Amino acid sequence: MNARHSEGTATPPASGERSMREVRIVAGVTGPIADPRVLCPVRDVLDRLGDAWSVLVILRLGDGAMRFNALKRAVGAISQRMLTVTLRSLERDGLVTRTVFPTNPPQVEYALTELGASLAGPIGALADWAVTHRDRITSERRRYDAGETDRSSP
Amino acid sequence: MNARHSEGTATPPASGERSMREVRIVAGVTGPIADPRVLCPVRDVLDRLGDAWSVLVILRLGDGAMRFNALKRAVGAISQRMLTVTLRSLERDGLVTRTVFPTNPPQVEYALTELGASLAGPIGALADWAVTHRDRITSERRRYDAGETDRSSP
DNA sequence: CGGCATCCTCTAGGATACTG
DNA sequence: CAGTATCCTAGAGGATGCCG
């Protein structure tokens, strides 16, 4: 057999949870999208947080202001270039402040703005979901990879 | 002057909100990261949702099961290839089901699983944040781009 | 209708080296 | 210390064409 069944048709609105439909409306996804980069608030945020390092940097700055190299060590495998690029873009969006102390050698401190700190909510929601469901996803993934022959053999 | 001040040092824990530090612990970001793709739950989810189309597809499927081409039309500017790729990977993670009806011509229906539907929470949180702060970000961005000369001229 | 397979492009991002 | 500049590669993703 080639078809995989389950759920049939619907999206269960779940018990006390928010409906995906409601979220779609809030997200402004009501018609076809011309360009994935425009007109969708959720995509805006994901463009902002979806890159490899932004969230890791934000989480580190959540503990308080840090200087460039300390931040680099704390984050880990990030390259100097990417830390610079990431911080610039976070600064541009008003999520992070950059303060230069004209000492010698120079000291530069980065810190979350209130706007940046307010991301704790959304990021926390993602973290909770991830922690709750990661085992499930891992097993689903294994199952899928195991039954791969279903797709090619009749 | 070259330094931009604000906030000084700390991350305000805000009124009744969640602290970024707590989120960091939940996210498992307690030591330096060797590879951004491993050991951080939040990064796992963002790798999953951060691409250009996944969330848009998920939001569409939130209204109920859809066939391939209907979904393609609904989403908009997505290419056939990327819709296929996105759906495969969502299916692999157990977020979406794929049901083949052996009619002629063939019909294939996609639907959210319960696991996929449970993303309404986190995605909703992102959407709310985005809608609330998008104007602020836009203006911050404009302000930054305007004062750009500060960085190069002494 | 619902796909693969192929080709081609463009960007994210690492490595390295130099500076105020 | 905290960058900037340059070079280079891998992978994301569009366009196109063929197939059951």
Side-chain angles (χ1 to χ4, degrees):
Chain A
M1 78 135 172
N2 208 351
R4 312 170 192 197
H5 271 272
S6 71
E7 313 302 313
T9 38
T11 299
S15 24
E17 292 203 346
R18 196 173 188 182
S19 88
M20 188 67 84
R21 183 165 196 284
E22 181 194 342
V23 173
R24 179 175 61 76
I25 306 296
V26 170
V29 183
T30 52
I33 302 284
D35 184 324
R37 291 176 303 265
V38 282
L39 84 61
C40 176
V42 200
R43 282 243 32 86
D44 286 351
V45 195
L46 286 173
D47 279 347
R48 169 68 280 167
L49 302 180
D51 64 285
W53 299 109
S54 286
V55 166
L56 293 174
V57 168
I58 290 173
L59 286 176
R60 286 300 173 175
L61 289 178
D63 284 353
M66 291 182 78
R67 291 174 53 184
F68 187 88
N69 278 329
L71 189 52
K72 183 174 187 312
R73 278 188 298 273
V75 172
I78 190 171
S79 68
Q80 192 179 47
R81 194 182 98 92
M82 282 320 293
L83 182 55
T84 303
V85 169
T86 301
L87 285 169
R88 285 291 174 279
S89 124
L90 291 174
E91 189 195 0
R92 185 169 109 103
D93 288 355
L95 303 178
V96 157
T97 59
R98 174 178 184 270
T99 311
V100 178
F101 300 98
T103 60
N104 191 310
Q107 297 195 0
V108 181
E109 254 191 13
Y110 291 93
L112 286 185
T113 63
E114 203 165 333
L115 186 60
S118 73
L119 274 169
I123 295 180
L126 282 177
D128 291 340
W129 189 91
V131 169
T132 304
H133 299 292
R134 69 185 323 191
D135 289 352
R136 178 71 191 282
I137 290 184
T138 303
S139 70
E140 290 286 349
R141 210 171 274 194
R142 233 194 317 267
R143 172 215 298 265
Y144 182 93
D145 291 345
E148 191 102 89
T149 46
D150 278 4
R151 197 171 292 284
S152 47
S153 72
Chain B
M1 77 136 168
N2 210 349
R4 310 168 191 198
H5 271 271
S6 69
E7 315 299 313
T9 37
T11 299
S15 23
E17 291 204 348
R18 195 173 187 179
S19 89
M20 189 65 85
R21 183 164 195 284
E22 181 194 342
V23 173
R24 179 176 60 74
I25 306 295
V26 170
V29 183
T30 54
I33 301 282
D35 183 325
R37 291 177 303 265
V38 280
L39 84 64
C40 176
V42 199
R43 281 244 31 85
D44 285 351
V45 195
L46 286 173
D47 279 345
R48 167 69 281 166
L49 302 180
D51 64 286
W53 299 108
S54 285
V55 167
L56 293 175
V57 168
I58 290 173
L59 287 175
R60 285 304 173 172
L61 290 178
D63 284 353
M66 291 183 78
R67 291 175 53 185
F68 186 89
N69 278 328
L71 189 51
K72 183 174 188 313
R73 278 188 297 272
V75 172
I78 191 171
S79 68
Q80 192 180 49
R81 194 182 97 92
M82 284 319 293
L83 182 53
T84 303
V85 169
T86 301
L87 285 169
R88 285 293 173 276
S89 121
L90 291 175
E91 189 196 358
R92 185 169 109 102
D93 289 355
L95 303 177
V96 157
T97 58
R98 175 178 184 270
T99 311
V100 180
F101 300 97
T103 58
N104 191 310
Q107 296 194 4
V108 181
E109 254 191 13
Y110 292 92
L112 285 185
T113 62
E114 203 166 332
L115 185 60
S118 73
L119 276 169
I123 295 180
L126 282 176
D128 291 341
W129 189 92
V131 169
T132 304
H133 300 292
R134 70 185 323 190
D135 288 353
R136 179 73 190 282
I137 290 184
T138 303
S139 71
E140 290 286 350
R141 208 171 277 194
R142 233 195 316 269
R143 171 215 299 264
Y144 182 93
D145 291 344
E148 191 102 270
T149 46
D150 278 4
R151 196 170 294 282
S152 46
S153 73

